[in-house]
PDB file of all heavy atoms in Angstrom:
ATOM      1  N   ARG A 397      31.716  46.617  12.373  1.00 84.00           N
ATOM      2  CA  ARG A 397      31.714  45.155  12.469  1.00 84.00           C
ATOM      3  C   ARG A 397      30.316  44.610  12.235  1.00 84.00           C
ATOM      4  O   ARG A 397      29.327  45.192  12.670  1.00 84.00           O
ATOM      5  CB  ARG A 397      32.197  44.697  13.844  1.00 84.00           C
ATOM      6  CG  ARG A 397      33.642  44.997  14.147  1.00 84.00           C
ATOM      7  CD  ARG A 397      34.064  44.268  15.412  1.00 84.00           C
ATOM      8  NE  ARG A 397      33.188  44.551  16.547  1.00 84.00           N
ATOM      9  CZ  ARG A 397      33.203  43.870  17.684  1.00 84.00           C
ATOM     10  NH1 ARG A 397      34.031  42.857  17.828  1.00 84.00           N
ATOM     11  NH2 ARG A 397      32.407  44.193  18.676  1.00 84.00           N
ATOM     12  N   TRP A 398      30.247  43.475  11.541  1.00 83.00           N
ATOM     13  CA  TRP A 398      28.992  42.763  11.329  1.00 83.00           C
ATOM     14  C   TRP A 398      29.211  41.267  11.521  1.00 83.00           C
ATOM     15  O   TRP A 398      30.198  40.724  11.010  1.00 83.00           O
ATOM     16  CB  TRP A 398      28.471  42.923   9.903  1.00 83.00           C
ATOM     17  CG  TRP A 398      27.963  44.247   9.500  1.00 83.00           C
ATOM     18  CD1 TRP A 398      26.723  44.773   9.705  1.00 83.00           C
ATOM     19  CD2 TRP A 398      28.666  45.232   8.738  1.00 83.00           C
ATOM     20  NE1 TRP A 398      26.616  46.007   9.130  1.00 83.00           N
ATOM     21  CE2 TRP A 398      27.798  46.320   8.532  1.00 83.00           C
ATOM     22  CE3 TRP A 398      29.968  45.302   8.211  1.00 83.00           C
ATOM     23  CZ2 TRP A 398      28.174  47.451   7.828  1.00 83.00           C
ATOM     24  CZ3 TRP A 398      30.344  46.429   7.513  1.00 83.00           C
ATOM     25  CH2 TRP A 398      29.456  47.490   7.330  1.00 83.00           C
ATOM     26  N   PRO A 399      28.319  40.578  12.203  1.00 82.00           N
ATOM     27  CA  PRO A 399      28.277  39.131  12.045  1.00 82.00           C
ATOM     28  C   PRO A 399      27.858  38.827  10.601  1.00 82.00           C
ATOM     29  O   PRO A 399      27.007  39.517  10.040  1.00 82.00           O
ATOM     30  CB  PRO A 399      27.186  38.689  13.031  1.00 82.00           C
ATOM     31  CG  PRO A 399      27.091  39.816  14.012  1.00 82.00           C
ATOM     32  CD  PRO A 399      27.387  41.052  13.229  1.00 82.00           C
ATOM     33  N   TYR A 400      28.444  37.819   9.992  1.00 84.00           N
ATOM     34  CA  TYR A 400      28.080  37.517   8.612  1.00 84.00           C
ATOM     35  C   TYR A 400      27.936  36.008   8.428  1.00 84.00           C
ATOM     36  O   TYR A 400      28.483  35.205   9.179  1.00 84.00           O
ATOM     37  CB  TYR A 400      29.135  38.067   7.633  1.00 84.00           C
ATOM     38  CG  TYR A 400      30.368  37.201   7.479  1.00 84.00           C
ATOM     39  CD1 TYR A 400      30.437  36.202   6.511  1.00 84.00           C
ATOM     40  CD2 TYR A 400      31.467  37.362   8.332  1.00 84.00           C
ATOM     41  CE1 TYR A 400      31.562  35.392   6.386  1.00 84.00           C
ATOM     42  CE2 TYR A 400      32.594  36.560   8.218  1.00 84.00           C
ATOM     43  CZ  TYR A 400      32.633  35.578   7.240  1.00 84.00           C
ATOM     44  OH  TYR A 400      33.726  34.766   7.131  1.00 84.00           O
ATOM     45  N   GLN A 401      27.188  35.658   7.391  1.00 77.00           N
ATOM     46  CA  GLN A 401      27.044  34.274   6.965  1.00 77.00           C
ATOM     47  C   GLN A 401      27.210  34.239   5.456  1.00 77.00           C
ATOM     48  O   GLN A 401      26.629  35.078   4.747  1.00 77.00           O
ATOM     49  CB  GLN A 401      25.677  33.710   7.344  1.00 77.00           C
ATOM     50  CG  GLN A 401      25.459  33.561   8.844  1.00 77.00           C
ATOM     51  CD  GLN A 401      24.067  33.078   9.164  1.00 77.00           C
ATOM     52  OE1 GLN A 401      23.100  33.500   8.558  1.00 77.00           O
ATOM     53  NE2 GLN A 401      23.962  32.162  10.128  1.00 77.00           N
ATOM     54  N   ALA A 402      28.001  33.307   4.966  1.00 76.00           N
ATOM     55  CA  ALA A 402      28.205  33.152   3.530  1.00 76.00           C
ATOM     56  C   ALA A 402      27.773  31.754   3.118  1.00 76.00           C
ATOM     57  O   ALA A 402      28.097  30.767   3.787  1.00 76.00           O
ATOM     58  CB  ALA A 402      29.665  33.381   3.162  1.00 76.00           C
ATOM     59  N   PHE A 403      27.026  31.690   2.040  1.00 62.00           N
ATOM     60  CA  PHE A 403      26.584  30.399   1.509  1.00 62.00           C
ATOM     61  C   PHE A 403      26.638  30.477  -0.012  1.00 62.00           C
ATOM     62  O   PHE A 403      26.005  31.336  -0.626  1.00 62.00           O
ATOM     63  CB  PHE A 403      25.163  30.072   1.959  1.00 62.00           C
ATOM     64  CG  PHE A 403      24.638  28.761   1.431  1.00 62.00           C
ATOM     65  CD1 PHE A 403      25.158  27.561   1.887  1.00 62.00           C
ATOM     66  CD2 PHE A 403      23.637  28.743   0.478  1.00 62.00           C
ATOM     67  CE1 PHE A 403      24.685  26.361   1.403  1.00 62.00           C
ATOM     68  CE2 PHE A 403      23.149  27.535  -0.003  1.00 62.00           C
ATOM     69  CZ  PHE A 403      23.683  26.343   0.462  1.00 62.00           C
ATOM     70  N   ARG A 404      27.444  29.594  -0.590  1.00 67.00           N
ATOM     71  CA  ARG A 404      27.661  29.604  -2.027  1.00 67.00           C
ATOM     72  C   ARG A 404      28.141  30.995  -2.450  1.00 67.00           C
ATOM     73  O   ARG A 404      29.209  31.421  -2.041  1.00 67.00           O
ATOM     74  CB  ARG A 404      26.402  29.154  -2.772  1.00 67.00           C
ATOM     75  CG  ARG A 404      26.054  27.692  -2.494  1.00 67.00           C
ATOM     76  CD  ARG A 404      24.812  27.251  -3.220  1.00 67.00           C
ATOM     77  NE  ARG A 404      24.513  25.853  -2.919  1.00 67.00           N
ATOM     78  CZ  ARG A 404      23.403  25.243  -3.272  1.00 67.00           C
ATOM     79  NH1 ARG A 404      22.480  25.898  -3.973  1.00 67.00           N
ATOM     80  NH2 ARG A 404      23.204  23.969  -2.948  1.00 67.00           N
ATOM     81  N   ASP A 405      27.344  31.718  -3.273  1.00 74.00           N
ATOM     82  CA  ASP A 405      27.799  33.039  -3.726  1.00 74.00           C
ATOM     83  C   ASP A 405      27.040  34.166  -3.053  1.00 74.00           C
ATOM     84  O   ASP A 405      27.049  35.304  -3.524  1.00 74.00           O
ATOM     85  CB  ASP A 405      27.653  33.162  -5.246  1.00 74.00           C
ATOM     86  CG  ASP A 405      26.198  33.110  -5.697  1.00 74.00           C
ATOM     87  OD1 ASP A 405      25.358  32.622  -4.916  1.00 74.00           O
ATOM     88  OD2 ASP A 405      25.917  33.538  -6.830  1.00 74.00           O
ATOM     89  N   ARG A 406      26.390  33.859  -1.922  1.00 75.00           N
ATOM     90  CA  ARG A 406      25.606  34.880  -1.214  1.00 75.00           C
ATOM     91  C   ARG A 406      26.244  35.187   0.127  1.00 75.00           C
ATOM     92  O   ARG A 406      26.768  34.305   0.808  1.00 75.00           O
ATOM     93  CB  ARG A 406      24.172  34.395  -0.977  1.00 75.00           C
ATOM     94  CG  ARG A 406      23.381  34.121  -2.239  1.00 75.00           C
ATOM     95  CD  ARG A 406      23.023  35.397  -2.962  1.00 75.00           C
ATOM     96  NE  ARG A 406      22.214  36.282  -2.125  1.00 75.00           N
ATOM     97  CZ  ARG A 406      21.885  37.522  -2.474  1.00 75.00           C
ATOM     98  NH1 ARG A 406      22.323  38.024  -3.620  1.00 75.00           N
ATOM     99  NH2 ARG A 406      21.138  38.263  -1.686  1.00 75.00           N
ATOM    100  N   ILE A 407      26.155  36.454   0.537  1.00 84.00           N
ATOM    101  CA  ILE A 407      26.617  36.855   1.864  1.00 84.00           C
ATOM    102  C   ILE A 407      25.523  37.670   2.529  1.00 84.00           C
ATOM    103  O   ILE A 407      24.867  38.497   1.887  1.00 84.00           O
ATOM    104  CB  ILE A 407      27.938  37.658   1.797  1.00 84.00           C
ATOM    105  CG1 ILE A 407      28.424  37.985   3.225  1.00 84.00           C
ATOM    106  CG2 ILE A 407      27.798  38.927   0.950  1.00 84.00           C
ATOM    107  CD1 ILE A 407      29.837  38.538   3.260  1.00 84.00           C
TER     108      ILE A 407
END
Side-chain angles (χ1 to χ4, degrees):
R397 294 191 306 168
W398 290 276
Y400 81 90
Q401 293 177 320
F403 179 70
R404 294 180 180 171
D405 65 341
R406 298 289 300 173
I407 183 169

